[in-house]
Amino acid sequence: MKYEKREIRDRKAEDDSGCAALLGRLVHHLIAENISVSAMESCTSGLLASGITDTEGASAVFKGAFVTYSNEAKVAQGVSAELIARYGVYSLPVAEAMARACREAYHAELGIGITGTTGNPDPVNADSAEGEVYYAILWRGEKCLRRLQLDTAGLSRHAIKERIVAEVAASACALLGI
């Protein structure tokens, strides 16, 4: 069997703005400084992890990620069910616990946790509000905890996820002094 060799260009790599550029800048810094990273994502469904691995050489620092869309998945990966019951799954304490759990599971220096809703309120969790997102970034003794309220009107779920990931990437860059 004969295979044709073809050059494939990634349009994201050619984009100098937005989510891809922020993630590229973040990952290049992580590689240069040898800082390992992991994530636990809910509402972004792995888009952060995918964006990290779009950068050449990311395997040197990216340890792995969990996509924990359900409460049960979060608990299975180390987030306390009691914490979820006390604060709600959409909260800063839960986002921080997600960041801590993935960092510990993968022995990474930088841990990122993201939870929230991208569209309609979640019928399983009474504490949900459309476009409300919480994320936490833990690095060494420092942390960044944020709540976002996104205007989701007219946006696709993918576009909403990209906005969330761009915000997280910008905050990670700021925390690391990039």
Side-chain angles (χ1 to χ4, degrees):
M1 183 175 274
K2 194 173 186 180
Y3 294 96
E4 180 182 344
K5 184 176 180 181
R6 296 172 48 190
E7 182 178 336
I8 299 173
R9 295 185 56 103
D10 180 14
R11 287 184 12 215
K12 277 188 178 180
E14 296 170 1
D15 183 34
D16 287 334
S17 63
C19 188
L22 282 167
L23 284 169
R25 198 169 74 194
L26 173 63
V27 174
H28 286 297
H29 179 80
L30 296 175
I31 293 167
E33 298 297 322
N34 196 31
I35 300 169
S36 58
V37 61
S38 64
M40 186 179 297
E41 302 179 65
S42 183
C43 61
T44 50
S45 305
L47 191 62
L48 175 65
S50 178
I52 289 170
T53 61
D54 283 347
T55 300
E56 187 73 34
S59 61
V61 294
F62 184 63
K63 298 293 187 177
F66 298 111
V67 175
T68 56
Y69 211 64
S70 70
N71 295 358
E72 296 83 7
K74 290 172 187 67
V75 171
Q77 297 308 326
V79 176
S80 163
E82 292 77 22
L83 190 73
I84 292 172
R86 181 174 183 184
Y87 295 101
V89 71
Y90 307 124
S91 65
L92 288 174
V94 168
E96 185 175 0
M98 292 168 70
R100 185 170 286 106
C102 70
R103 191 172 69 169
E104 289 172 3
Y106 286 110
H107 306 287
E109 294 169 83
L110 183 70
I112 301 170
I114 308 169
T115 184
T117 57
T118 56
N120 296 331
D122 180 350
V124 177
N125 295 289
D127 63 330
S128 68
E130 184 176 340
E132 190 172 74
V133 176
Y134 298 88
Y135 66 88
I137 306 166
L138 304 180
W139 179 57
R140 298 183 179 156
E142 299 183 53
K143 62 184 170 181
C144 170
L145 305 174
R146 297 280 189 271
R147 175 190 174 271
L148 299 176
Q149 183 61 56
L150 302 169
D151 179 6
T152 60
L155 296 175
S156 70
R157 288 175 71 88
H158 187 79
I160 296 164
K161 291 175 192 179
E162 282 185 327
R163 284 191 178 182
I164 296 165
V165 169
E167 288 284 339
V168 170
S171 291
C173 286
L175 182 66
L176 296 168
I178 304 171

